[in-house]
Amino acid sequence: MKLQTVRQRMLNTTMIGTAALLALAAAPVMMLVAPTEALAQSLTGSLRVTVSGDGGAPLSGATVMVSSPDSLVSRTGVTDADGRVRLAGLDPATNYTVSVTAEGYEAFGVGNVAVVAGRDLSVGYVLVSGAGSTSTVDDIVVTGTSLAAIDVTSAQVSTTLTLGVVEALPTARNYQAYLQLVPGVKPSNGGNPSSRSGVNYAEAGGGIGNSSDNLYYLDGVDVTDPVSGTFGSNFNSEIIQEQQVIVGGVPAEYAGGSGLVSRVITKSGGNEWHGSLNYYLQNDDLVSEDQHTTSGGFSTYDTAFTLGGPIIRDRLWIYGSYQKKNQEDDVLDNTLGSPTFGQLIRSTTRDQDYTFAKLTWQATDNDRLTLTYFGDPTTVSGQSSSAIINRRDFTREQGGDNYKVDYTRTWGDLIVNAYYFNHEAEIIDTAVDSSVRDNVTYRNAFGSNLYQRQLGGRGLNSEETRNREEYGANFEYYLDTGFGSHTFKGGFSFADNTNFQTDSVPGGVTYNSLAPIYSGTTLASYVGSGWTARAITTQDYATFLLPALSGNARARSILDTNADGQVSSAEAGALVFGSSAGNPYGNTNVYRTVRASDGPYTLRLEYTSLYLQDTWTLDQLTVAAGVRAERTEHFASDDSKIASFEWTYAPRLSVVYDLNGDGRSKVFGFVGRYYDPIRTDMTDFAGALTGPVNNEQIYVSNGAGGEWVTFRTRGPGDAQISPGTKTPYTDEFMIGGSTTIGSDIGIAASVTHRVTKDIMEDFDLTLYSDPTCTQATCGVNGAAFPGSPFYLPYSYFGYDANPGTNYVIGTLPGGKREYTGFELTVTKFKTDNWFGQASYTYNKAEGNANSDGNADFVGDWLALDPRAPNVYGPQAGNIPHQFKAYGGYEFDFGLEVSSVFNWNSGALYTPGSAISGRIIPDMQDPFVFNGVTDSYLVEGITGSEQNPSYYTWDLRFKYVADAPYVAGELEFFLDVFNVMNHQTATGVVNNRAGSGQFLYQEANAWVAPRRAYLGVRYSF
């Protein structure tokens, strides 16, 4: 009898080369954050097991069983004539045992085998025996345990995280923070990071670092907030069994795709009772001195327990968790010029309570019923940002309850799943100061600060619920034929999103005034540049302002100097603001909004989706083809249907080739389309047929007396979703490859190109579609006219005539965003007690619209139209270069030391000025383009500036020891963030007028000071 090496046995047969070395990605693989390339909607995974005997020949009739202490399911199968068997419906875990028995061979078992949800991993075992005799244990050779195994059947680019990964590295304790471990994911303070082509900038406030393009799944259901497009639920991170993050080649199971897809699968319990109790803390005694007066001190603690085990062994398991998080912040005044600069202005508290419970009943070997509950109520006593002064502070109550019922049935190679999910969430914001709000405008050169610009309270109290009811079904069917194997997947889901809102305005009115020193300013001067903020622009003239002034007797008597019965643009521009009559703070009256009536209202959005996919594998070639169909219907506050979008069909196709047939190298290509359905924030904009009414007014005075003139009413009937509106989409084209070096190093690279089109915005039809306009009557006032390239006939929006609303939601003509990126990742998998990873990402993003499911000024101002000059350019928020690295070493005496290093080249931004809360790019003096006179953008202004580059370097020390007197382990943690204490600037002010705290291009955000985070956990 001759015992051959694994390499020799691999070379003896092509089948072994392609199957056995495809490698059983065993548990050490899953204990690392590693780029993977497979994911499916299924909550379970599969193993393809290949068994061969003497001479490398396939061993048929061998019995294979897989089981895990973390799964209620064990599967058994018998190898076919090719020595293969596929075992499906396995729960994700990293501690499976594979047992093989065959006549003439001694029974064999191997542990630490990994199963990943949605993946079809291949493993191979070679059994060696003497002729006619039973082998000994020493004669068994296990193959496929390469730690850098590659999935050579998929083009998807994703990362799999487990608690073993994230708890070995210094990172915050929540699933949003874990996203920062994924290559190419951009920094985010709010937990909603951009990835690749995901928009990373909002004109509202000019904020960077918050994307609404991501999708968040928990146990297979979408928990993305239907209004904001951000994460909609929180929970204790210790309940995570597996978190998968897809950044490219997204399969047909998922909507979206321009951002990332985060998918969490939770724990279920086990046949043995196990649990944990932990406590983490941090306070200002553990933090270095703040060099930028951003914090006056804080303290935080995080405590949680988990408990799971059997109610009935092998049949009924339970798992639960409770987490309490508390943070207290002392907020300092860092507004330059403030008499209280550097002093404590308030203390705030944030309390979070996360509850989770899951009951799993394996009624038979093929039937499973799961009941899940989680809740995340949060109470915030005030805002911790020093950019919010005390009188604009507000409290918040948010969170809610979530329920899910899930049933799965297995018939051999067919798995069917059905589920029901109910999500309840509320957000209640209450102003601390109930005095009337007045936002005061100054000249940029004055150097005003927040206390001068913001008088009175916040000006709004609001209550909102965002509920979701969803049900669906999925199936997976595996078919092995004489011409390759097929894995068919399909599913259906229906979601009803309900959004209830009610709000009130303290004092019933809010003001936008001029500081008294500017009394005597004309409207023409006010709508020009050089102010800290403007509530009225020239784009308000034709549609709203001039008709209102012409229709008001007093305004007409003051402004209609040529007595023709109409107030012209020039006559309106001569209006002088010089009165403070009735102003709550003695400022010069310009603009105000009067709450005419309050009124609660409820909106709905129904979302239906279908998908079907086939993955066909023949020898070294795999082709996956799928299509996703989606439809949304929007319902107004009177429950009438206001929009029914046509079905969209998103095809997705990938081709993968195993280069050498040994499972160690591959090349792939992917092409696919992702749709981005319009969210309920636009249902609110267009569907509030009942609810509050606000009158926008301008003050008209001739010195002897004045009057507030209503020029626009916002509320019921404010907008419509036009029949011609299309669903935005992104097309992705991707090529890549990956390879394994030795047994523990993996290299992966990909090049991605994406194009986003049919971008949505709201339109002022009087600017775009008035058929009576001419260049002389409208073009000179910044409005399109028939014959102008800007002109859009009513038919473009699906109308025969103007519907009579202030705005309509439609598709931006010529709107486009383009992204090209390259990513390289090198991973050292955990062997010899250490692991590591390094990645580099290059991002190039350009376009002519940042609109992303919101209603900004594009569509209301021709100078911002995608077809206008100088609009196309680098995308604000893009970060051209990113480098990430982490690593760790585990000593034999229980100490583990690990580190995370992140560097980026700084996000691009566009300099501009604040108008109605938006940062509008710098504009030129008016000139004529395509027959329309407007103040078009300055050439090259879009994305022309860049925030500072910076890095972060963090360390973790973890020590594990046996607990004294009781069974179990004690773990002690020490995280040190910003080890070098380089409090580098991360962002600057992009507002030409300054922020009211800092001047234009002064730093306004920094890497936090060096800080330590302590923790201890007992687990059993």
Side-chain angles (χ1 to χ4, degrees):
M1 179 175 62
K2 181 180 181 180
L3 181 62
Q4 295 176 298
T5 67
V6 173
R7 178 176 175 80
Q8 289 171 328
R9 298 303 295 269
M10 294 302 102
L11 296 177
N12 282 343
T13 169
T14 301
M15 182 196 73
I16 297 296
T18 56
L21 250 188
L22 264 182
L24 203 203
V29 177
M30 298 305 299
M31 294 299 289
L32 186 66
V33 184
T36 60
E37 294 96 359
L39 183 66
Q41 181 68 28
S42 171
L43 299 181
T44 60
S46 305
L47 288 177
R48 298 190 187 202
V49 181
T50 301
V51 180
S52 57
D54 293 327
L59 187 59
S60 64
T63 300
V64 180
M65 185 180 76
V66 296
S67 61
S68 165
D70 290 337
S71 174
L72 275 167
V73 173
S74 60
R75 298 293 185 200
T76 302
V78 178
T79 58
D80 60 17
D82 294 323
R84 298 180 300 177
V85 63
R86 181 177 182 270
L87 302 171
L90 302 172
D91 298 308
T94 61
N95 56 359
Y96 272 88
T97 296
V98 177
S99 300
V100 182
T101 58
E103 185 177 354
Y105 296 87
E106 184 173 311
F108 167 72
V110 62
N112 290 334
V113 177
V115 171
V116 180
R119 296 186 62 180
D120 214 2
L121 297 181
S122 297
V123 301
Y125 303 102
V126 180
L127 307 184
V128 183
S129 71
S133 66
T134 302
S135 69
T136 66
V137 176
D138 293 337
D139 294 328
I140 298 172
V141 179
V142 182
T143 67
T145 56
S146 168
L147 297 181
I150 295 173
D151 183 349
V152 294
T153 66
S154 174
Q156 299 158 24
V157 178
S158 62
T159 295
T160 301
L161 309 171
T162 66
L163 281 181
V165 174
V166 298
E167 292 187 349
L169 296 169
T171 182
R173 284 170 36 82
N174 57 73
Y175 74 101
Q176 299 94 335
Y178 300 160
L179 298 175
Q180 292 300 318
L181 297 173
V182 178
V185 171
K186 299 179 179 68
S188 171
N189 290 327
N192 294 285
S194 167
S195 174
R196 300 199 176 189
S197 65
V199 173
N200 195 37
Y201 172 80
E203 287 182 354
I208 291 175
N210 190 58
S211 176
S212 60
D213 292 318
N214 301 333
L215 289 173
Y216 300 91
Y217 288 85
L218 181 68
D219 283 339
V221 294
D222 188 352
V223 293
T224 312
D225 189 287
V227 176
S228 64
T230 56
F231 67 84
S233 295
N234 287 293
F235 46 83
N236 180 10
S237 61
E238 289 181 288
I239 73 172
I240 297 175
Q241 179 73 14
E242 174 183 285
Q243 181 177 1
Q244 299 182 7
V245 185
I246 316 174
V247 296
V250 183
E253 290 90 335
Y254 299 94
S258 58
L260 59 83
V261 177
S262 171
R263 183 169 182 262
V264 169
I265 297 176
T266 60
K267 295 179 179 180
S268 297
N271 264 336
E272 302 295 333
W273 286 100
H274 59 278
S276 64
L277 176 65
N278 61 57
Y279 186 85
Y280 298 83
L281 67 90
Q282 189 180 63
N283 56 46
D284 49 356
D285 292 331
L286 299 172
V287 179
S288 297
E289 182 181 356
D290 189 337
Q291 300 171 3
H292 305 287
T293 321
T294 57
S295 174
F298 73 99
S299 64
T300 180
Y301 68 84
D302 174 350
T303 185
F305 76 83
T306 66
L307 182 64
I311 297 176
I312 302 175
R313 290 179 61 86
D314 297 322
R315 285 302 177 194
L316 185 61
W317 288 358
I318 190 170
Y319 184 83
S321 168
Y322 172 76
Q323 182 180 29
K324 172 74 172 180
K325 303 177 77 171
N326 172 276
Q327 179 160 333
E328 298 180 356
D329 287 283
D330 292 335
V331 183
L332 299 183
D333 184 356
N334 66 352
T335 300
L336 296 178
S338 168
T340 59
F341 179 79
Q343 298 180 22
L344 177 68
I345 55 176
R346 65 177 175 272
S347 296
T348 67
T349 301
R350 182 182 186 91
D351 280 307
Q352 299 166 280
D353 295 275
Y354 300 157
T355 306
F356 177 84
K358 185 176 183 180
L359 189 68
T360 306
W361 178 35
Q362 193 74 36
T364 72
D365 289 344
N366 296 311
D367 295 274
R368 173 180 293 187
L369 178 67
T370 304
L371 306 178
T372 305
Y373 164 81
F374 64 96
D376 58 352
T378 299
T379 301
V380 182
S381 69
Q383 306 307 301
S384 60
S385 170
S386 61
I388 299 176
I389 60 177
N390 278 353
R391 53 179 172 254
R392 295 295 173 92
D393 194 22
F394 62 96
T395 65
R396 169 168 288 188
E397 297 279 346
Q398 70 179 45
D401 299 316
N402 303 265
Y403 308 87
K404 185 189 177 190
V405 180
D406 184 285
Y407 172 73
T408 301
R409 168 70 182 176
T410 301
W411 288 277
D413 289 322
L414 174 65
I415 302 173
V416 177
N417 169 266
Y419 70 91
Y420 169 82
F421 177 70
N422 186 281
H423 169 71
E424 300 173 353
E426 68 173 7
I427 301 176
I428 302 174
D429 291 343
T430 305
V432 172
D433 187 332
S434 295
S435 59
V436 172
R437 185 183 76 194
D438 188 4
N439 291 336
V440 185
T441 296
Y442 289 80
R443 280 291 185 185
N444 292 352
F446 184 84
S448 57
N449 61 36
L450 286 179
Y451 290 94
Q452 295 167 308
R453 298 181 191 182
Q454 299 181 2
L455 302 183
R458 182 170 182 254
L460 185 69
N461 298 313
S462 63
E463 179 179 349
E464 185 175 2
T465 60
R466 301 174 181 180
N467 298 338
R468 181 186 187 97
E469 189 173 21
E470 179 179 336
Y471 57 85
N474 304 278
F475 77 89
E476 177 182 331
Y477 178 64
Y478 175 75
L479 177 64
D480 199 0
T481 72
F483 195 67
S485 64
H486 296 263
T487 301
F488 298 99
K489 294 181 180 181
F492 158 82
S493 68
F494 173 82
D496 187 356
N497 298 286
T498 303
N499 182 208
F500 165 82
Q501 296 185 50
T502 184
D503 60 38
S504 61
V505 176
V509 61
T510 60
Y511 285 78
N512 288 74
S513 307
L514 277 169
I517 58 174
Y518 304 111
S519 180
T521 297
T522 64
L523 176 60
S525 175
Y526 177 82
V527 298
S529 60
W531 299 99
T532 57
R534 289 170 283 169
I536 301 172
T537 72
T538 55
Q539 299 308 300
D540 295 319
Y541 275 35
T543 307
F544 305 107
L545 203 57
L546 298 183
L549 294 175
S550 298
N552 182 275
R554 173 170 288 186
R556 196 168 56 248
S557 67
I558 296 172
L559 300 174
D560 183 18
T561 55
N562 64 2
D564 66 352
Q566 299 293 319
V567 176
S568 67
S569 296
E571 290 170 332
L575 172 63
V576 176
F577 299 119
S579 173
S580 61
N583 190 281
Y585 307 104
N587 294 306
T588 301
N589 292 324
V590 175
Y591 167 97
R592 73 178 186 180
T593 299
V594 176
R595 174 56 64 91
S597 63
D598 294 328
Y601 61 100
T602 301
L603 309 151
R604 291 195 304 116
L605 181 150
E606 293 183 356
Y607 172 76
T608 307
S609 68
L610 300 162
Y611 72 89
L612 183 64
Q613 178 176 300
D614 175 26
T615 301
W616 171 62
T617 299
L618 178 65
D619 296 327
Q620 295 166 232
L621 178 69
T622 297
V623 178
V627 63
R628 181 179 184 86
E630 300 171 339
R631 185 182 185 184
T632 56
E633 296 181 296
H634 299 252
F635 296 83
S637 56
D638 63 357
D639 211 36
S640 63
K641 186 183 296 186
I642 57 173
S644 182
F645 285 82
E646 297 180 354
W647 282 95
T648 59
Y649 299 93
R652 308 191 188 166
L653 174 68
S654 66
V655 179
V656 187
Y657 188 73
D658 181 355
L659 284 174
N660 301 312
D662 60 2
R664 298 177 64 85
S665 299
K666 72 174 181 180
V667 292
F668 61 84
F670 174 88
V671 59
R673 173 167 291 187
Y674 314 118
Y675 282 94
D676 186 12
I678 295 173
R679 300 189 299 266
T680 53
D681 56 344
M682 292 298 97
T683 315
D684 179 20
F685 187 33
L689 302 184
T690 59
V693 177
N694 297 303
N695 292 326
E696 295 184 64
Q697 299 177 337
I698 186 172
Y699 195 77
V700 179
S701 171
N702 62 358
E707 180 178 341
W708 287 101
V709 177
T710 297
F711 66 90
R712 179 165 46 202
T713 297
R714 310 297 295 265
D718 192 25
Q720 285 189 9
I721 300 176
S722 70
T725 305
K726 301 175 182 178
T727 301
Y729 69 88
T730 297
D731 285 335
E732 179 178 51
F733 308 88
M734 183 176 63
I735 58 174
S738 54
T739 189
T740 299
I741 299 175
S743 62
D744 59 0
I745 296 178
I747 301 177
S750 63
V751 177
T752 303
H753 181 70
R754 292 177 176 176
V755 181
T756 299
K757 293 184 177 180
D758 286 349
I759 299 170
M760 182 275 298
E761 256 298 350
D762 68 302
F763 291 80
D764 180 350
L765 293 187
T766 59
L767 289 178
Y768 277 92
S769 307
D770 188 346
T772 66
C773 274
T774 66
Q775 182 175 3
T777 59
C778 298
V780 296
N781 292 321
F785 53 91
S788 165
F790 286 126
Y791 184 75
L792 300 175
Y794 293 134
S795 59
Y796 174 83
F797 300 96
Y799 296 119
D800 295 325
N802 192 318
T805 55
N806 291 333
Y807 304 97
V808 301
I809 295 171
T811 300
L812 280 174
K816 180 172 65 173
R817 290 192 287 268
E818 294 185 277
Y819 168 84
T820 301
F822 168 74
E823 191 163 274
L824 174 66
T825 303
V826 179
T827 304
K828 165 62 172 69
F829 294 82
K830 191 169 185 179
T831 56
D832 301 324
N833 290 11
W834 74 280
F835 66 92
Q837 185 182 89
S839 67
Y840 167 75
T841 306
Y842 168 73
N843 302 297
K844 180 182 179 182
E846 298 179 322
N848 52 23
N850 266 312
S851 304
D852 187 40
N854 51 18
D856 278 324
F857 273 2
V858 181
D860 306 329
W861 198 337
L862 290 188
L864 303 176
D865 187 284
R867 300 163 296 172
N870 306 323
V871 174
Y872 190 93
Q875 285 288 105
N878 182 49
I879 298 177
H881 305 280
Q882 293 176 266
F883 176 77
K884 297 188 175 188
Y886 64 75
Y889 185 84
E890 185 176 359
F891 295 90
D892 294 335
F893 57 86
L895 176 66
E896 184 174 21
V897 181
S898 61
S899 176
V900 174
F901 178 88
N902 290 325
W903 173 87
N904 71 80
S905 59
L908 304 182
Y909 69 91
T910 301
S913 301
I915 299 177
S916 298
R918 271 71 173 168
I919 302 299
I920 304 302
D922 291 347
M923 294 181 163
Q924 306 179 58
D925 292 334
F927 65 91
V928 179
F929 179 81
N930 285 338
V932 176
T933 303
D934 211 332
S935 49
Y936 298 101
L937 300 191
V938 171
E939 183 177 359
I941 194 64
T942 303
S944 60
E945 297 289 348
Q946 191 165 3
N947 283 290
S949 65
Y950 67 94
Y951 73 87
T952 59
W953 178 36
D954 310 321
L955 284 173
R956 163 165 284 197
F957 300 89
K958 182 174 78 169
Y959 180 72
V960 181
D962 291 336
Y965 310 116
V966 294
E969 289 184 337
L970 283 174
E971 299 172 79
F972 300 91
F973 302 88
L974 169 62
D975 288 348
V976 182
F977 297 99
N978 190 8
V979 174
M980 303 302 294
N981 198 30
H982 287 169
Q983 299 179 35
T984 313
T986 62
V988 301
V989 176
N990 64 347
N991 185 351
R992 294 282 187 183
S995 66
Q997 289 182 299
F998 306 100
L999 301 178
Y1000 170 63
Q1001 291 192 328
E1002 280 190 337
N1004 64 349
W1006 301 267
V1007 177
R1010 179 173 53 224
R1011 57 207 185 279
Y1013 194 61
L1014 301 175
V1016 60
R1017 175 169 56 206
Y1018 165 69
S1019 57
F1020 64 92

